[in-house]
Amino acid sequence: MITSIVVGTDGSETATKAVREAADLASRIGATLELVSAYEPVSKQRLREEARQVPEDMAWMVTPREDCEATLNDAKEMVSTMGVREVVIHAREGDPADAILDVAEERGSDLIVVGNKGMTGAKRFLLGSVPNQVSHHAPCSVLIVRTT
């Protein structure tokens, strides 16, 4: 029985297609949807510079996770309208594939949903694409959604 589904998003059109497929499945079977997004580390100097450019009372909002959390909240809003029972968001620093795999392992998820983008032509043989890396290292079943 599938009770937890992990899906990654970067806010792109293809990632949104994978999120919609995962949400549709989660709503049909009553599973929890774990939304994952990764962000790259940002230097402290850049964060200080960006914090200086916003009003003082809003400087606390300038974090390396800011864009990532906005992407996750947008996705959460979208899937909430699709009848998903429970949605949990995970913003992780680092590689997107590692973030998805880590969340799946930590949460004991039963299924990971990824889009097929990056798995066409010669690129499908290169390590590093998210769907390729996830499909080879997942701690659970993987559903690859045709998004292109």
Side-chain angles (χ1 to χ4, degrees), residues 59-81:
W60 64 271
M61 294 178 64
V62 179
T63 70
R65 299 168 58 130
E66 181 180 359
D67 291 339
C68 183
E69 288 176 347
T71 297
L72 287 168
N73 286 326
D74 289 347
K76 184 176 182 177
E77 277 184 42
M78 179 187 71
V79 302
S80 294
T81 66

Side-chain angles (χ1 to χ4, degrees), residues 20-133:
R20 285 183 198 272
E21 288 288 330
D24 182 52
L25 180 59
S27 68
R28 290 174 190 249
I29 62 176
T32 298
L33 188 62
E34 310 279 348
L35 292 170
V36 181
S37 191
Y39 60 93
E40 293 186 22
V42 178
S43 72
K44 290 182 180 180
Q45 178 182 353
R46 180 174 163 203
L47 287 174
R48 282 192 298 271
E49 289 172 10
E50 288 180 7
R52 281 189 222 126
Q53 296 174 11
V54 298
E56 192 174 314
D57 62 332
M58 296 183 74
W60 64 271
M61 294 178 64
V62 179
T63 70
R65 299 168 58 130
E66 181 180 359
D67 291 339
C68 183
E69 288 176 347
T71 297
L72 287 168
N73 286 326
D74 289 347
K76 184 176 182 177
E77 277 184 42
M78 179 187 71
V79 302
S80 294
T81 66
M82 298 176 67
V84 179
R85 169 182 81 174
E86 184 178 353
V87 182
V88 182
I89 62 173
H90 305 271
R92 297 292 175 98
E93 182 177 74
D95 178 72
D98 288 340
I100 292 167
L101 294 167
D102 288 347
V103 169
E105 189 171 322
E106 291 166 13
R107 302 291 287 189
S109 297
D110 307 296
L111 181 68
I112 298 172
V113 176
V114 292
N116 70 325
K117 184 177 180 188
M119 292 186 73
T120 58
K123 287 184 180 180
R124 71 176 177 247
F125 299 109
L126 299 175
L127 290 175
S129 75
V130 172
N132 189 30
Q133 196 170 350

